[in-house]
Amino acid sequence: MDFKGIIICICWLLGVVYGRKNVLFFAVDDLRPELTCYEGEDFPSFVHPPIHSPNIDKLAAKSLLLKRAYVQQATCSPSRTSVLTGRRPDTTHIYDLSHYFRDLGGNFTTIPQYFKQNGYISAGIGKIFHHGSASNHDDPISWSMPYYHGKQYGWESREKSWAAIPDDELIDKPLVDSQIAEHALNTLKMFAKGGPHEGTPFFIAVGFHKPHMPFVFPESFQQYYPTDSVKLPSNPYAPSEMPEEAWSNYFELRNYPDINMLNVTGDINTTLPDNAVLELRRAYYSALSYTDSLVGRVMEGLKTYGFESNTIVSLWGDHGYQLGEHGEWCKHTNFEIATHAPLMVRIPGMTDDGIVTEQLTEFVDLFPTLVEAAELEPMPLCPEDSSEIELCREGDSLMPLVKNPKGLWKDAAFSQYPRKGQVMGYTMRTNHYRYTEWVRFAYAPIYKPHWGKVYGIELYDHNIDSEENINVAYDPEYTDLCLELSIKLHAGWRAAIPYQN
Ligand SMILES: *[C@@H]1O[C@H](CO)[C@@H](O)[C@H](O)[C@H]1NC(C)=O
Ligand SMILES: *[C@@H]1O[C@H](CO)[C@@H](O)[C@H](O)[C@H]1NC(C)=O
Ligand SMILES: *[C@@H]1O[C@H](CO)[C@@H](O)[C@H](O)[C@H]1NC(C)=O
């Protein structure tokens, strides 16, 4: 290479590294899409008070807002692993909260790792991967800076399912999420003018623990939810004709001593006493608004440090959440209310006026979206067996929806949930239906369903039943539709891929 060539090459490298958009990547634990920006037709008709989420709504107003985005499995680690690797549970082989994808699935490149490989400094703050063995302690290879967790001052004791802490007691001993927001601001500052990382692009992941249980929050957030504004869910019963496999006994909630004391069994068609339901709903909303305020603080910092116009911002909840609907609590099911979760991506210069799409999208779509938005080398689609392939995707970049939010798109979103005794529930959301089959599943080394061994089928007609209260899978009127949807479910996500220009 001659001298001129070297100069061109250096300039190109500088342009590639220094002209790059930063990424601010929010994850919120157990955040269901009960946000003002998500209200509309054919969404679960939550019986809710006006939700106070001004900061997330403000972000949504400048983002591509995916109104119908579905997680690949409605529980923490399987969902997060799927988002962060861009692959589905049957590829990561992560269905629980203890195993690690690099041990069972493959040595897959994660979102932060890919940005790190592309010259970014990646920083992990709070809950991004599920903690402990599920991520070999936050997947060290993903991050360039020391991982930050914050300090526990004992507010989150397991004695009670929720707690409103007087604000002044939190001044010296802040909640973990407040520390996470504070650390995010300090980290942003390091990339600002005069900071040690000035000029280097960042990928900063900020994971908030609330509104996950226990619902602990500064007391002042209760003011947004006067007790008489909080209502009981309209459907505190299981869907008619629901197969038993569809049910979760919400052990996560029943483990708290204050709930355990109520002697609830978690059985189908039982639920908590009304006063407990109302208290928990109010506490969840208060915790949600607390988290919203922290998102606002970090977004304010982004502006203060001058990164607003060159930073991509994404925000997602790791799955939906049941607050007494169907008599269910927490997640761990295949219902719409557990699989449907918030997802938004702000791309400066492209989504500033806000773009809303109701196309069916999946959380595996986020990885290729961020890669395209940041103009990194695109990722190839994963082949059938991708265990040996470090970088590939099982979702599609959402960028075409920025240009045309009604454009041709995948016509189904897929999720799954395992049950005891080698049973897997595969579910699929189409434009008007949710269709689910609970079937026998072979774990290692096969990781495949036996479609022939069926334990239960569900079909919910969202044209007339957006709350999924009536399982019509055994209704003769729906026989033909069931057959058609069954074929589509077995064909899987590859067959639902949008036509690629
Ligand atoms: C996994 O991939 C990374 C990045 O390519 C590499 O550094 C590491 O050695 C790999 N680990 C194993 C166990 O192959
Ligand atoms: C639960 O209650 C609903 C509504 O009353 C009813 O349709 C359904 O059959 C019940 N399920 C079971 C398993 O009892
Ligand atoms: C729960 O069961 C225990 C032990 O049988 C009993 O002492 C207690 O009064 C019960 N509590 C309620 C709320 O029913």
PDB file of all heavy atoms in Angstrom, residues 361-373:
ATOM      1  N   THR A 361     -43.920  -8.769  15.554  1.00  0.00           N
ATOM      2  CA  THR A 361     -42.464  -8.782  15.645  1.00  0.00           C
ATOM      3  C   THR A 361     -42.043  -9.623  16.840  1.00  0.00           C
ATOM      4  O   THR A 361     -42.853  -9.936  17.711  1.00  0.00           O
ATOM      5  CB  THR A 361     -41.907  -7.353  15.783  1.00  0.00           C
ATOM      6  OG1 THR A 361     -42.543  -6.703  16.881  1.00  0.00           O
ATOM      7  CG2 THR A 361     -42.165  -6.543  14.514  1.00  0.00           C
ATOM      8  N   GLU A 362     -40.770  -9.991  16.855  1.00  0.00           N
ATOM      9  CA  GLU A 362     -40.266 -10.896  17.883  1.00  0.00           C
ATOM     10  C   GLU A 362     -39.001 -10.305  18.498  1.00  0.00           C
ATOM     11  O   GLU A 362     -38.281  -9.540  17.846  1.00  0.00           O
ATOM     12  CB  GLU A 362     -39.965 -12.264  17.254  1.00  0.00           C
ATOM     13  CG  GLU A 362     -41.164 -12.883  16.564  1.00  0.00           C
ATOM     14  CD  GLU A 362     -40.800 -14.172  15.854  1.00  0.00           C
ATOM     15  OE1 GLU A 362     -40.174 -14.102  14.774  1.00  0.00           O
ATOM     16  OE2 GLU A 362     -41.099 -15.252  16.386  1.00  0.00           O
ATOM     17  N   PHE A 363     -38.728 -10.702  19.725  1.00  0.00           N
ATOM     18  CA  PHE A 363     -37.575 -10.124  20.409  1.00  0.00           C
ATOM     19  C   PHE A 363     -36.242 -10.527  19.767  1.00  0.00           C
ATOM     20  O   PHE A 363     -35.262  -9.808  19.910  1.00  0.00           O
ATOM     21  CB  PHE A 363     -37.622 -10.450  21.903  1.00  0.00           C
ATOM     22  CG  PHE A 363     -38.446  -9.440  22.674  1.00  0.00           C
ATOM     23  CD1 PHE A 363     -39.673  -9.007  22.199  1.00  0.00           C
ATOM     24  CD2 PHE A 363     -37.984  -8.902  23.861  1.00  0.00           C
ATOM     25  CE1 PHE A 363     -40.423  -8.062  22.889  1.00  0.00           C
ATOM     26  CE2 PHE A 363     -38.720  -7.949  24.561  1.00  0.00           C
ATOM     27  CZ  PHE A 363     -39.941  -7.530  24.080  1.00  0.00           C
ATOM     28  N   VAL A 364     -36.220 -11.645  19.042  1.00  0.00           N
ATOM     29  CA  VAL A 364     -34.992 -12.015  18.314  1.00  0.00           C
ATOM     30  C   VAL A 364     -34.691 -11.014  17.193  1.00  0.00           C
ATOM     31  O   VAL A 364     -33.599 -11.033  16.636  1.00  0.00           O
ATOM     32  CB  VAL A 364     -35.030 -13.441  17.705  1.00  0.00           C
ATOM     33  CG1 VAL A 364     -34.823 -14.510  18.752  1.00  0.00           C
ATOM     34  CG2 VAL A 364     -36.319 -13.673  16.920  1.00  0.00           C
ATOM     35  N   ASP A 365     -35.642 -10.146  16.895  1.00  0.00           N
ATOM     36  CA  ASP A 365     -35.423  -9.150  15.839  1.00  0.00           C
ATOM     37  C   ASP A 365     -34.528  -7.992  16.301  1.00  0.00           C
ATOM     38  O   ASP A 365     -34.026  -7.227  15.477  1.00  0.00           O
ATOM     39  CB  ASP A 365     -36.764  -8.565  15.361  1.00  0.00           C
ATOM     40  CG  ASP A 365     -37.685  -9.610  14.739  1.00  0.00           C
ATOM     41  OD1 ASP A 365     -37.161 -10.634  14.247  1.00  0.00           O
ATOM     42  OD2 ASP A 365     -38.911  -9.405  14.740  1.00  0.00           O
ATOM     43  N   LEU A 366     -34.364  -7.859  17.614  1.00  0.00           N
ATOM     44  CA  LEU A 366     -33.648  -6.674  18.110  1.00  0.00           C
ATOM     45  C   LEU A 366     -32.158  -6.661  17.718  1.00  0.00           C
ATOM     46  O   LEU A 366     -31.625  -5.621  17.312  1.00  0.00           O
ATOM     47  CB  LEU A 366     -33.790  -6.561  19.640  1.00  0.00           C
ATOM     48  CG  LEU A 366     -33.168  -5.312  20.271  1.00  0.00           C
ATOM     49  CD1 LEU A 366     -33.742  -4.024  19.687  1.00  0.00           C
ATOM     50  CD2 LEU A 366     -33.340  -5.322  21.792  1.00  0.00           C
ATOM     51  N   PHE A 367     -31.498  -7.815  17.828  1.00  0.00           N
ATOM     52  CA  PHE A 367     -30.059  -7.880  17.519  1.00  0.00           C
ATOM     53  C   PHE A 367     -29.784  -7.370  16.089  1.00  0.00           C
ATOM     54  O   PHE A 367     -29.048  -6.375  15.904  1.00  0.00           O
ATOM     55  CB  PHE A 367     -29.561  -9.317  17.745  1.00  0.00           C
ATOM     56  CG  PHE A 367     -28.065  -9.507  17.827  1.00  0.00           C
ATOM     57  CD1 PHE A 367     -27.533 -10.658  18.419  1.00  0.00           C
ATOM     58  CD2 PHE A 367     -27.164  -8.561  17.325  1.00  0.00           C
ATOM     59  CE1 PHE A 367     -26.158 -10.856  18.511  1.00  0.00           C
ATOM     60  CE2 PHE A 367     -25.787  -8.754  17.400  1.00  0.00           C
ATOM     61  CZ  PHE A 367     -25.291  -9.907  17.990  1.00  0.00           C
ATOM     62  N   PRO A 368     -30.388  -7.995  15.045  1.00  0.00           N
ATOM     63  CA  PRO A 368     -30.107  -7.484  13.690  1.00  0.00           C
ATOM     64  C   PRO A 368     -30.555  -6.037  13.465  1.00  0.00           C
ATOM     65  O   PRO A 368     -29.968  -5.339  12.637  1.00  0.00           O
ATOM     66  CB  PRO A 368     -30.869  -8.455  12.772  1.00  0.00           C
ATOM     67  CG  PRO A 368     -31.806  -9.210  13.644  1.00  0.00           C
ATOM     68  CD  PRO A 368     -31.235  -9.198  15.023  1.00  0.00           C
ATOM     69  N   THR A 369     -31.554  -5.591  14.221  1.00  0.00           N
ATOM     70  CA  THR A 369     -32.009  -4.201  14.087  1.00  0.00           C
ATOM     71  C   THR A 369     -30.927  -3.234  14.552  1.00  0.00           C
ATOM     72  O   THR A 369     -30.600  -2.257  13.865  1.00  0.00           O
ATOM     73  CB  THR A 369     -33.285  -3.961  14.932  1.00  0.00           C
ATOM     74  OG1 THR A 369     -34.267  -4.902  14.541  1.00  0.00           O
ATOM     75  CG2 THR A 369     -33.811  -2.547  14.744  1.00  0.00           C
ATOM     76  N   LEU A 370     -30.372  -3.512  15.735  1.00  0.00           N
ATOM     77  CA  LEU A 370     -29.330  -2.621  16.265  1.00  0.00           C
ATOM     78  C   LEU A 370     -28.098  -2.641  15.367  1.00  0.00           C
ATOM     79  O   LEU A 370     -27.462  -1.612  15.140  1.00  0.00           O
ATOM     80  CB  LEU A 370     -28.959  -3.028  17.700  1.00  0.00           C
ATOM     81  CG  LEU A 370     -30.069  -2.813  18.739  1.00  0.00           C
ATOM     82  CD1 LEU A 370     -29.650  -3.368  20.098  1.00  0.00           C
ATOM     83  CD2 LEU A 370     -30.438  -1.330  18.859  1.00  0.00           C
ATOM     84  N   VAL A 371     -27.787  -3.822  14.843  1.00  0.00           N
ATOM     85  CA  VAL A 371     -26.629  -3.946  13.948  1.00  0.00           C
ATOM     86  C   VAL A 371     -26.836  -3.096  12.696  1.00  0.00           C
ATOM     87  O   VAL A 371     -25.940  -2.355  12.286  1.00  0.00           O
ATOM     88  CB  VAL A 371     -26.389  -5.439  13.596  1.00  0.00           C
ATOM     89  CG1 VAL A 371     -25.456  -5.592  12.409  1.00  0.00           C
ATOM     90  CG2 VAL A 371     -25.841  -6.178  14.808  1.00  0.00           C
ATOM     91  N   GLU A 372     -28.038  -3.152  12.130  1.00  0.00           N
ATOM     92  CA  GLU A 372     -28.298  -2.360  10.924  1.00  0.00           C
ATOM     93  C   GLU A 372     -28.359  -0.861  11.255  1.00  0.00           C
ATOM     94  O   GLU A 372     -27.810  -0.036  10.520  1.00  0.00           O
ATOM     95  CB  GLU A 372     -29.593  -2.807  10.233  1.00  0.00           C
ATOM     96  CG  GLU A 372     -29.740  -2.131   8.866  1.00  0.00           C
ATOM     97  CD  GLU A 372     -30.974  -2.561   8.079  1.00  0.00           C
ATOM     98  OE1 GLU A 372     -31.620  -3.572   8.428  1.00  0.00           O
ATOM     99  OE2 GLU A 372     -31.292  -1.849   7.096  1.00  0.00           O
ATOM    100  N   ALA A 373     -28.997  -0.523  12.374  1.00  0.00           N
ATOM    101  CA  ALA A 373     -29.121   0.891  12.742  1.00  0.00           C
ATOM    102  C   ALA A 373     -27.747   1.517  12.970  1.00  0.00           C
ATOM    103  O   ALA A 373     -27.525   2.692  12.668  1.00  0.00           O
ATOM    104  CB  ALA A 373     -29.984   1.035  13.997  1.00  0.00           C
TER     105      ALA A 373
END
